[in-house]
Amino acid sequence: MTNTFSFQLQSTHGAARTGVISTPRGDIRTPAFMPVGTAATVKAMMPESVRETGADILLGNTYHLMLRPTAERIDRLGGLHKFMNWDRPILTDSGGFQVMSLASLRKLTEDGVTFKSHIDGSKHVLSPETSMEIQRLLGSDIVMCFDECPALPADKTRIADSMRLSMRWAQRSRDAFGDRPGHALFGIQQGGLEEDLRAESAEALQNIGFEGYAVGGLAVGEGQEAMFGCLDYAPAQLPVDKPRYLMGVGKPDDIVGAVKRGIDMMDCVLPSRSGRTGQAFTRHGVVNIKNARHADDPRPLDENCRCPACRNYSRAYLHHVFRSQEMISGMLLTWHNLTYFQDIMQGMRDAIAAGTFAAWEADFHAGRAQGDIEPL
């Protein structure tokens, strides 16, 4: 166990990399997928069950937690780790993205963002300084800079202005973060799909200096081809010896494509949200458990999966509890999806270390292209 935050690169295969982020609360094996615990819970899961899937780190949402139950209350109750019974690393986002996507009547200035809560309409202010203070009260291990993320598509002038504002906010975030041994602050690269703006952003962030760097402003509607086009150059603009985090990604093939292009960390609500809506991700593609074809099927979702949904329950049962709107449906399918996502990460870590990533990737795509097993 370490008292400092550090990153050690262990092996590479092309641009794909594997390594270890060391924190006082434990190691994070990279590439890492972070389940999203929006309101201090990964929906439908117990923290110990999330750990069993293979997760080393969770993500918490600053915006949601500051509104309810409030960062001050969480701090009084011993911090976010104790509050939600997760003793391993937690990354918190800055709140900026949710302000842009959820809050009503928001006003953006050089100082920060004034907005009304989507819960009760109460008025709040988020700035680089208040975001750093809220994340300090939460006690997260990895803190994200406060930034502005414009929705794509947008014109280049708007993207450039937004990026430069985010870089000024990055400096203010660094100043407000202060000296917190064992905790890390990550800068966020912006610049849309413009290579020159991404380069300018990366240089500005490195001049400030951060413990890790995120590629922000993707997975906001630009499509996979455009995202991969950006990832063909964006990660390489960031330091080799620091973790690279792609925010808000994604589907299994998004994740594999991002790791192939040099990304170390990702997060997404997809495995848990899809689990609650009857979608299961498997090595043979996506299964919709609500479909009638599963009603009499005694087989598991995926006979090669180690999760409880696949070990102990049939497709017929999973179909029945989903159609009956039973809580166990979302629990089992979320457990399955999170397990599948973590198995992808472990598969990639092993393949990168062995120098067989290209073959692993080909097998991954071939398996998903097969489609689901034939109906009985």
Side-chain angles (χ1 to χ4, degrees), residues 135-148:
Q135 293 182 77
R136 186 191 69 78
L137 290 170
L138 294 173
S140 56
D141 306 276
I142 300 176
V143 170
M144 299 306 297
C145 274
F146 189 63
D147 67 334
E148 197 226 344

Side-chain angles (χ1 to χ4, degrees), residues 35-273:
V36 177
T38 303
T41 168
V42 178
K43 287 182 174 62
M45 293 289 285
M46 302 277 280
E48 49 270 40
S49 307
V50 178
R51 177 67 182 142
E52 273 181 46
T53 68
D56 292 336
I57 176 173
L58 297 183
L59 183 139
N61 283 112
T62 293
Y63 170 85
H64 289 282
L65 294 170
M66 70 177 272
L67 296 179
R68 185 171 59 195
T70 75
E72 291 76 12
R73 177 168 286 147
I74 290 173
D75 180 45
R76 286 197 303 272
L77 293 166
L80 185 55
H81 296 82
K82 184 178 178 187
F83 186 60
M84 68 180 291
N85 188 32
W86 175 264
D87 62 3
R88 298 189 60 80
I90 295 174
L91 179 148
T92 45
D93 60 14
S94 69
F97 180 77
Q98 276 78 20
V99 167
M100 300 304 153
S101 61
L102 292 178
S104 61
L105 300 174
R106 59 183 180 268
K107 183 184 175 196
L108 178 73
T109 66
E110 183 69 36
D111 187 54
V113 185
T114 307
F115 65 95
K116 283 191 172 179
S117 161
H118 74 287
I119 298 171
D120 60 8
S122 56
K123 190 175 168 186
H124 300 266
V125 177
L126 258 182
S127 66
E129 292 76 15
T130 58
S131 177
M132 294 305 102
E133 174 61 11
I134 290 162
Q135 293 182 77
R136 186 191 69 78
L137 290 170
L138 294 173
S140 56
D141 306 276
I142 300 176
V143 170
M144 299 306 297
C145 274
F146 189 63
D147 67 334
E148 197 226 344
C149 174
L152 299 180
D155 66 71
K156 189 167 181 176
T157 304
R158 164 82 179 90
I159 291 168
D161 290 346
S162 169
M163 180 272 287
R164 289 170 189 141
L165 174 64
S166 288
M167 295 308 98
R168 295 192 294 276
W169 284 0
Q171 181 66 65
R172 285 168 55 192
S173 296
R174 181 85 262 182
D175 294 343
F177 181 81
D179 183 27
R180 298 182 59 203
H183 297 264
L185 180 64
F186 279 26
I188 305 175
Q189 182 200 49
Q190 292 289 357
L193 302 173
E194 309 291 341
E195 186 168 359
D196 57 333
L197 295 181
R198 289 268 171 194
E200 181 185 331
S201 177
E203 185 180 4
L205 292 173
Q206 289 172 75
N207 288 338
I208 298 168
F210 293 95
E211 286 75 50
Y213 296 84
V215 178
L218 294 178
V220 289
E222 73 281 0
Q224 188 190 71
E225 188 180 346
M227 180 176 77
F228 283 171
C230 183
L231 292 177
D232 282 335
Y233 59 79
Q237 295 172 334
L238 300 170
V240 171
D241 60 345
K242 297 288 169 70
R244 302 163 177 167
Y245 164 31
L246 178 60
M247 306 178 76
V249 170
K251 294 176 181 160
D253 50 337
D254 292 339
I255 290 172
V256 173
V259 169
K260 179 183 183 177
R261 291 164 174 81
I263 293 294
D264 305 306
M265 304 166 69
M266 281 145 290
D267 76 282
C268 192
V269 297
L270 200 64
S272 46
R273 179 177 288 165

Side-chain angles (χ1 to χ4, degrees), residues 6-11 18-22 28 30 240-243:
S6 65
F7 175 60
Q8 183 183 13
L9 196 58
Q10 291 181 325
S11 48
T18 182
V20 176
I21 299 169
S22 298
I28 304 158
T30 66
V240 171
D241 60 345
K242 297 288 169 70

